């Protein structure tokens, strides 16, 4: 039974922290028989493979685990119902095995249970249940299992494990460090250090040794290899010196221990892993929130006209769905009965809800306002517009290879080179060392490995980035990943969304003119708008806030035109010009001229009239932020090209672009159009930053090289973007670019120091100076020098904090 060849399997990866690790996994995948295509997406922490047969998945998972990395899988046992013989067990097992995302499955007829290992991101217990039902049996699933086996829960568990290890490693290392540095001659100091170091190395640091061994089996090496070697050798060497000090003293040498080097290195590196894991957890929240836009249950109307609540998964194309006021729309479809305003800002970014009546399309995730209606489901599951946005965001997050991390590439070469130097220096001492050659060979090898520990190299980038990110946060710029901080300095093109980015993002009354300046009927206008369900009515209510509520009679909402009501035997109207013309209401010339001027500025015009004549005209517009024009000017001075994209109409787009001084703009853009435009600019070789605030910008944000969200925008945009500006002030963008320039130069200085230190330190540790002036480096000093190199890198990074 073959699968559809195009079926993609997504394997969530663990411990693949760097480009170097990703390359090792990718190379491993290329050797698995039955995989047709494979790639490792480091940002999404997953491998994407297409396979010919589903049984290849088990081999793939095994291969990745053999390489020393993990795949997040869930293992569960479910009771199978309705089996009557051993061959039933066989057919139930077969039906589960061929589900995409199942790693292994076996049904035991005697216990009546299915034991299954599956990828929680690809298939759920519900899906397994359906597969078993197809072959005529059933699975019993408790609700809790659905919760606990989700990918998030597994990640959270992993984060807590690393947190536990890091905490204990730090607690146990502190006494070792204090004794090793200040009280090494205290009685029993060496024994106390040994007692504290042993659990750090063999319990908390166990994974480094396990992974180094797995790497060695496949003839490759990574950071774990160096950590395992340097800490392992320092530990064993110290234990030997503690138990057999005479070996050294009889040769006129001191028996030193290096427990603190081993313990502190492990604590340091675990802390790095913890910070990394925490950052990783935050990137996937965007997708979680997008998925949360879809309601979990829907109410459908049966053929007998009965309301019935069902789970979203059970909805079928052609079902009639009821939407009540304030509810989210569950799937895409078209209205069959009733009408209401729907907030579609997640798709269009425009703040004004849109009227939906019969035959109009509605989309999953958009929010119904005050009315109620029924619609027919036309696109469900992965077909909906919302599901497409989710998929695009996911793919875009995974497709960008991070700036190839220099440090990891180097680590790949650095590790074997250092081991080579340690072995060579040991051999050289054995041959040319004269008396005590064995001792000196051993000391030289250990010293090289201790001094070359890649801590400084490993800290060079993260410390500068942590300080840069902290500095950004102080200035109201939240930076979520290192890559965007590194890339921001290269940005030469910025795309700005209009609504909520250049403008305030909510309609406000921008002008009002009364007939003959007579404002006596203000209370009536306010009272009608207070009753109205029209989205723009709220803007008028806010604008005329200090007025009293009057008792209106015969209030009536006129769909698509406005509203009317009676007060003290007079009828009053609020709405568009059509409403006035239809009811033969006279319009004064001055009011008409004012209205035309506002229309030309692409503002929305609202009329207020009694039964005879127009009493006032109001204009409503999305106001431009006070800082927008200044920010546009600053960005022009930095030599950056600016483009404005909006879902709004051509006239409004032109008016706004002219007011803030942007030459290039595009109107009536859908979410996908924005993303395509980003790709178009990238194809011309430009480094593009996208600045947006809505769900409709999330696809473009995920596609751009650098993504910046406005802090007052939608949660989704803030999650997808790699930077967020808390105050929504565009002036922060030039600041972010300057911060990026400072941070990148600090990283370069750090790498320079880390390298210089290794280039000078390793030959001295190997004993290069001995023939010249008899100098031999003591491993204890090497340990201190190693710590010092890390300290110098960290303090250089801290300098960034004080820079302006």
């Amino acid at each position: 039974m073959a699968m559809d060849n195009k079926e993609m399997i997504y394997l969530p990866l663990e411990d693949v922290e760097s480009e170097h690790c990703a390359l090792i996994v990718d190379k491993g995948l290329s050797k698995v028989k039955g995989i047709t295509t494979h790639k490792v997406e480091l940002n999404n922490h997953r491998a994407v493979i297409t396979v010919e047969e589903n049984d290849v998945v088990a081999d793939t998972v095994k291969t990745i685990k053999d390489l020393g990395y993990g795949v997040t899988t869930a293992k569960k046992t479910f009771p199978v119902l309705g089996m009557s013989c051993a061959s039933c067990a066989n057919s139930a097992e077969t039906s589960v095995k061929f589900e995409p995302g199942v790693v292994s499955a076996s049904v035991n007829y005697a216990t009546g249970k299915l034991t299954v290992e599956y990828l929680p991101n690809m298939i759920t217990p519900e899906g397994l249940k359906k597969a078993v039902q197809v072959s005529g049996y059933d699975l019993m699933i408790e609700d809790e299992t659905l919760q606990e086996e989700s990918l998030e829960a597994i990640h959270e568990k992993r984060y807590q494990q690393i947190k536990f290890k890091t905490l204990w490693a730090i607690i146990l290392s502190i006494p070792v460090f204090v004794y090793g540095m200040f009280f090494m001659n205290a009685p029993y100091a060496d024994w106390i250090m040994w007692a504290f170091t042993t659990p750090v190395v063999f319990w908390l640091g166990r994974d480094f040794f396990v992974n180094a061994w797995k790497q060695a089996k496949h003839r490759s090496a990574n950071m774990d290899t160096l950590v395992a070697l340097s800490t392992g050798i320092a530990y064993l060497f110290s234990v030997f010196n503690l138990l057999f000090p005479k070996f050294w003293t009889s040769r006129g040498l001191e028996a030193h221990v290096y427990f603190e080097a081993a313990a502190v290195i492990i604590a340091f590196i675990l802390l790095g892993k913890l910070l990394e894991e925490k950052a990783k957890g935050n990137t996937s929240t965007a997708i979680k929130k997008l998925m949360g836009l879809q309601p979990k249950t829907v109410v459908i109307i049966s053929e007998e006209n009965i309301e019935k609540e069902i789970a979203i998964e059970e909805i079928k194309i052609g079902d009639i769905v009821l939407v009540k006021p304030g509810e989210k729309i569950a799937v895409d479809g078209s209205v069959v009965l009733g009408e209401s305003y729907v907030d579609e800002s997640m798709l269009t970014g425009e703040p004004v809800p849109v009227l939906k009546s019969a035959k109009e399309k509605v989309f999953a995730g958009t929010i119904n306002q005050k009315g109620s209606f029924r619609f027919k489901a036309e696109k469900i599951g992965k077909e909906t517009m919302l599901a497409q946005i989710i998929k695009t965001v996911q793919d875009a997050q995974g497709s960008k290879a991070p700036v190839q991390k220099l440090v990891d590439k180097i680590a790949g070469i650095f590790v074997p080179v250092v081991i080579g130097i340690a072995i060579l220096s040991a051999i050289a001492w054995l041959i040319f060392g004269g008396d005590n050659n064995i001792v000196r060979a051993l000391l030289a090898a250990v010293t090289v490995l201790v001094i070359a520990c890649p801590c400084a190299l490993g800290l060079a980038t993260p410390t500068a980035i942590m300080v840069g990110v902290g500095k950004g946060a102080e200035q109201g710029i939240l930076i979520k990943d290192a890559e965007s901080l590194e890339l921001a300095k290269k940005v030469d093109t910025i795309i700005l969304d209009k609504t909520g980015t250049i403008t305030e993002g909510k309609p406000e009354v921008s002008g009002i003119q009364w007939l003959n300046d007579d404002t006596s009927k203000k209370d009536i206008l306010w009272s009608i708008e207070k009753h109205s369900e029209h989205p723009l009515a709220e803007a008028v209510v806010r604008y005329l806030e200090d007025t009293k509520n009057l008792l209106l009679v015969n209030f009536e909402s006129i769909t698509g035109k406005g509203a009317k009501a009676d007060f003290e035997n007079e009828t009053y109207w609020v709405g568009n010009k059509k409403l006035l013309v239809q009811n033969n209401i006279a319009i004064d010339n001055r009011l008409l001229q004012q209205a035309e001027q506002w229309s030309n500025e692409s503002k929305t015009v609202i009329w207020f009239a009694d039964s005879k004549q127009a009493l006032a005209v109001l204009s409503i517009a999305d106001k431009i932020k006070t800082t927008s024009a200044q920010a546009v000017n600053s960005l022009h001075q930095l030599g950056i090209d600016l483009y404005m994209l909006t879902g709004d109409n051509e006239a409004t787009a032109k008016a706004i672009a002219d007011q803030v001084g942007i030459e290039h703009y595009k109107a009536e853009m859908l979410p996908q159009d924005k993303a395509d435009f980003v790709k178009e600019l990238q194809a011309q070789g430009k480094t593009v930053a996208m600045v947006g605030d809505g769900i409709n910008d999330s696809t473009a944000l995920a596609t751009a090289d650098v993504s910046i969200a406005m802090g007052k925008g939608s949660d989704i945009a803030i999650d997808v973007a790699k930077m967020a500006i808390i105050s929504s002030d565009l002036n922060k963008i030039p600041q972010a670019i300057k911060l990026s320039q400072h941070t990148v130069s600090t990283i370069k200085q750090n790498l320079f120091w880390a390298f210089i230190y290794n280039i000078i330190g390793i030959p001295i540790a190997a004993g290069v100076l001995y023939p010249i002036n008899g100098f031999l480096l003591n491993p204890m000093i090497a340990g201190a020098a190693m710590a010092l190199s890390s300290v110098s890198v960290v303090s250089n990074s801290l300098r960034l904090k004080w820079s302006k």
Side-chain angles (χ1 to χ4, degrees):
M1 188 172 167
M3 286 172 60
D4 173 4
N5 273 350
K6 295 193 178 63
E7 186 68 63
M8 283 199 166
I9 307 272
Y10 295 97
L11 302 160
L13 300 174
E14 294 170 4
D15 300 317
V16 178
E17 307 295 356
S18 65
E19 201 58 46
H20 180 61
C21 301
L23 290 171
I24 294 176
V25 173
D26 204 42
K27 202 163 132 193
L29 293 176
S30 65
K31 293 177 185 161
V32 179
K33 283 197 178 73
I35 292 185
T36 44
T37 66
H38 56 89
K39 69 170 186 214
V40 176
E41 297 182 349
L42 184 59
N43 279 7
N44 282 342
H45 297 281
R46 67 182 187 186
V48 185
I49 58 170
T50 47
V51 294
E52 290 162 10
E53 300 273 339
N54 200 33
D55 46 14
V56 177
V57 177
D59 297 343
T60 311
V61 172
K62 186 178 177 303
T63 303
I64 295 173
K65 287 184 173 168
D66 280 349
L67 287 167
Y69 301 103
V71 176
T72 309
T73 58
K75 278 187 184 155
K76 271 290 173 212
T77 305
F78 301 107
V80 184
L81 312 175
M83 293 194 299
S84 56
C85 61
S87 71
C88 300
N90 196 18
S91 66
E93 180 179 310
T94 310
S95 63
V96 172
K97 269 190 177 158
F98 286 106
E99 282 299 300
V102 171
V103 178
S104 63
S106 69
V107 175
N108 182 330
Y109 176 61
T111 59
K113 288 193 171 164
L114 157 74
T115 306
V116 60
E117 182 179 4
Y118 60 94
L119 303 167
N121 58 318
M122 289 285 295
I123 191 165
T124 60
E126 293 277 285
L128 296 170
K129 183 177 180 154
K130 277 185 190 155
V132 174
Q133 284 170 338
V134 167
S135 55
Y137 313 102
D138 205 351
L139 268 194
M140 207 172 93
I141 302 173
E142 272 97 43
D143 287 347
E144 291 85 75
T145 60
L146 301 181
Q147 261 65 59
E148 69 184 27
E149 287 310 324
S150 69
L151 209 51
E152 286 80 52
I154 295 173
H155 272 305
E156 179 55 28
K157 211 157 87 186
R158 184 176 153 72
Y159 173 69
Q160 291 305 336
Q161 282 171 347
I162 297 181
K163 192 171 166 181
F164 173 82
K165 284 183 177 177
T166 309
L167 202 66
W168 275 103
I170 293 171
I171 291 170
L172 294 171
S173 299
I174 291 171
V176 182
F177 180 75
V178 171
Y179 265 105
M181 286 294 167
F182 309 109
F183 305 111
M184 38 204 160
N185 298 325
Y188 300 112
D190 294 355
W191 294 92
I192 293 169
M193 288 197 285
W194 185 23
F196 277 103
T197 305
T198 306
V200 175
V201 175
F202 292 110
W203 170 46
L204 304 166
R206 182 171 162 260
D207 290 350
F208 295 116
F209 293 93
V210 173
N211 292 340
W213 172 243
K214 285 180 177 173
Q215 292 284 333
K217 279 198 298 195
H218 289 273
R219 296 201 179 83
S220 65
N222 62 4
M223 281 294 208
D224 290 342
T225 315
L226 257 197
V227 174
L229 270 177
S230 56
T231 55
I233 288 178
Y235 178 84
L236 292 173
F237 189 61
S238 304
V239 172
F240 176 83
N241 293 357
L242 178 63
L243 300 177
F244 309 107
K246 285 217 168 75
F247 178 81
W248 303 104
T249 46
S250 63
R251 291 168 170 75
L253 293 162
E254 274 187 78
H256 276 300
V257 294
Y258 309 102
F259 288 121
E260 80 291 340
V264 173
I265 290 169
I266 286 177
F268 249 142
I269 289 175
L270 279 173
L271 183 64
K273 272 194 191 298
L274 181 74
L275 294 172
E276 213 159 0
E277 193 69 25
K278 188 166 176 61
K280 269 193 345 210
N282 295 339
T283 51
S284 58
T285 47
I287 303 212
K288 262 188 284 189
K289 289 209 173 132
L290 272 172
M291 291 172 173
L293 285 173
Q294 199 174 29
K296 300 276 177 282
T297 58
V298 290
V299 174
I300 60 167
I301 306 290
S302 64
E303 285 164 16
E304 302 80 50
N305 213 13
I306 298 165
E307 291 185 16
K308 179 181 166 203
E309 188 170 321
I310 59 167
I312 183 94
E313 291 80 19
E314 293 171 33
I315 199 167
K316 293 188 287 296
I317 290 175
D319 280 346
I320 302 296
V321 182
L322 172 68
V323 185
K324 295 174 186 165
E327 285 187 342
K328 287 178 180 165
I329 292 169
V331 292
D332 295 4
S334 47
V335 178
V336 290
L337 184 69
E339 57 184 25
S340 175
Y341 285 95
V342 174
D343 176 357
E344 290 193 333
S345 58
M346 61 151 280
L347 294 175
T348 61
E350 294 313 307
V352 183
V354 185
L355 179 69
K356 297 287 179 180
S357 44
K359 295 191 178 160
E360 303 228 4
K361 297 254 183 245
V362 289
F363 300 99
T366 56
I367 302 165
N368 180 27
Q369 301 292 293
K370 296 173 183 170
S372 175
F373 62 91
R374 295 177 182 186
F375 75 93
K376 183 175 171 185
E378 290 171 350
K379 286 185 174 175
I380 59 172
K382 290 181 179 165
E383 300 302 313
T384 65
M385 184 91 120
L386 177 65
Q388 295 297 327
I389 292 182
I390 293 174
K391 187 175 178 340
T392 321
V393 168
Q394 236 170 347
D395 293 347
Q397 282 186 340
S399 62
K400 283 184 306 210
V403 194
Q404 287 267 355
K405 297 282 190 296
L406 207 85
V407 180
D408 286 308
K409 281 187 157 175
I410 290 153
I413 310 161
F414 185 73
V415 179
V417 167
V418 168
I419 297 169
I421 294 173
I423 294 169
L424 284 176
S425 55
I427 293 171
W429 276 102
L430 282 174
I431 299 171
F432 306 112
D435 304 341
N436 287 341
N437 60 351
I438 296 173
V439 177
R440 287 189 170 148
L442 198 63
L443 270 179
V446 171
T447 313
V448 167
L449 287 171
V450 169
I451 206 162
C453 179
C455 271
L457 268 183
L459 288 168
T461 315
T463 52
I465 280 173
M466 274 167 69
V467 176
V469 167
K471 180 97 174 148
E474 283 168 24
Q475 298 175 351
I477 305 164
L478 286 182
I479 299 161
K480 300 194 214 158
D481 77 341
E483 188 191 337
S484 53
L485 191 56
E486 286 176 38
L487 265 181
K489 70 183 273 281
K490 298 182 185 161
V491 167
D492 50 21
T493 308
I494 294 182
I495 296 176
L496 300 165
D497 167 56
K498 174 184 77 74
T499 313
T501 302
I502 294 174
T503 65
E504 292 288 356
K506 59 172 189 274
E508 295 286 356
V509 173
S510 58
I512 182 166
Q513 186 167 343
W514 292 87
L515 181 64
N516 307 324
D517 295 328
D518 173 12
T519 59
S520 58
K521 305 275 170 56
K522 194 164 86 163
D523 294 352
I524 301 172
L525 170 60
W526 187 85
S527 304
I528 295 177
E529 291 292 48
K530 186 76 181 156
H531 282 80
S532 170
E533 289 183 355
H534 193 284
L536 294 177
E538 279 179 34
V540 180
V541 171
R542 277 199 303 269
Y543 183 73
L544 304 169
E545 54 189 349
D546 50 346
T547 37
K548 58 178 185 287
N549 200 356
L550 304 173
L551 197 63
L552 304 172
V553 287
N554 302 333
F555 176 85
E556 187 192 332
S557 181
I558 305 157
T559 301
K561 289 175 190 156
K564 66 173 223 180
D566 295 348
F567 180 70
E568 293 178 351
N569 302 325
E570 172 66 90
T571 303
Y572 291 93
W573 307 80
V574 178
N576 57 20
K577 194 171 163 190
K578 258 190 212 156
L579 189 67
L580 273 63
V581 174
Q582 276 172 3
N583 293 284
N584 302 319
I585 293 166
I587 300 176
D588 182 85
N589 242 346
R590 279 168 305 174
L591 293 186
L592 202 57
Q593 280 173 352
Q594 182 61 67
E596 276 171 10
Q597 185 194 327
W598 282 335
S599 292
N600 292 339
E601 291 169 7
S602 23
K603 293 175 176 171
T604 307
V605 174
I606 294 179
W607 293 88
F608 172 50
D610 58 19
S611 55
K612 298 185 253 337
Q613 60 175 358
L615 302 174
V617 62
L618 299 89
S619 71
I620 291 186
D622 188 4
K623 275 196 196 146
I624 293 177
K625 290 180 190 166
T626 45
T627 53
S628 292
Q630 187 191 344
V632 165
N633 189 26
S634 310
L635 291 167
H636 278 317
Q637 283 172 353
L638 287 171
I640 290 171
D641 291 337
L642 294 177
Y643 291 83
M644 182 184 86
L645 303 186
T646 176
D648 213 337
N649 61 49
E650 175 74 22
T652 310
K654 181 169 175 23
I656 303 273
D658 290 347
Q659 283 176 47
V660 292
I662 294 177
E663 291 165 46
H664 318 286
Y665 66 88
K666 281 182 179 288
E668 293 171 16
M669 301 282 276
L670 287 171
Q672 195 52 50
D673 301 335
K674 291 186 181 183
D676 292 341
F677 185 65
V678 172
K679 285 183 192 155
E680 199 180 302
L681 290 173
Q682 286 169 330
Q684 297 166 22
K686 296 184 188 301
T687 305
V688 181
M690 167 78 198
V691 186
D693 74 318
I695 296 171
N696 63 311
D697 301 317
S698 56
T699 317
L701 285 168
T703 312
D705 300 300
V706 175
S707 45
I708 304 172
M710 290 292 157
K712 292 183 181 143
S714 81
D715 288 356
I716 314 284
I718 292 169
D719 277 343
V720 173
K722 299 297 171 69
M723 290 191 189
I725 287 169
I726 300 168
S727 64
S728 294
D729 174 358
L730 281 180
N731 272 326
K732 297 282 177 196
I733 295 174
Q735 280 185 18
I737 292 173
K738 286 176 187 147
L739 179 66
S740 164
Q741 290 165 346
H742 283 308
T743 309
V744 171
S745 63
T746 305
I747 292 174
K748 286 182 176 160
Q749 292 159 10
N750 284 351
L751 286 174
F752 171 77
W753 284 115
F755 275 115
I756 283 293
Y757 156 81
N758 272 315
I759 289 165
I760 295 172
I762 291 175
I764 294 176
V768 167
L769 296 177
Y770 187 75
I772 305 164
N773 58 9
F775 179 77
L776 261 184
L777 190 62
N778 176 331
M780 177 78 199
I781 311 282
M786 183 211 85
L788 196 69
S789 73
S790 303
V791 171
S792 64
V793 163
V794 173
S795 29
N796 187 45
S797 295
L798 288 173
R799 257 191 38 230
L800 184 63
K801 205 173 176 147
W802 319 123
S803 70
K804 281 282 172 281

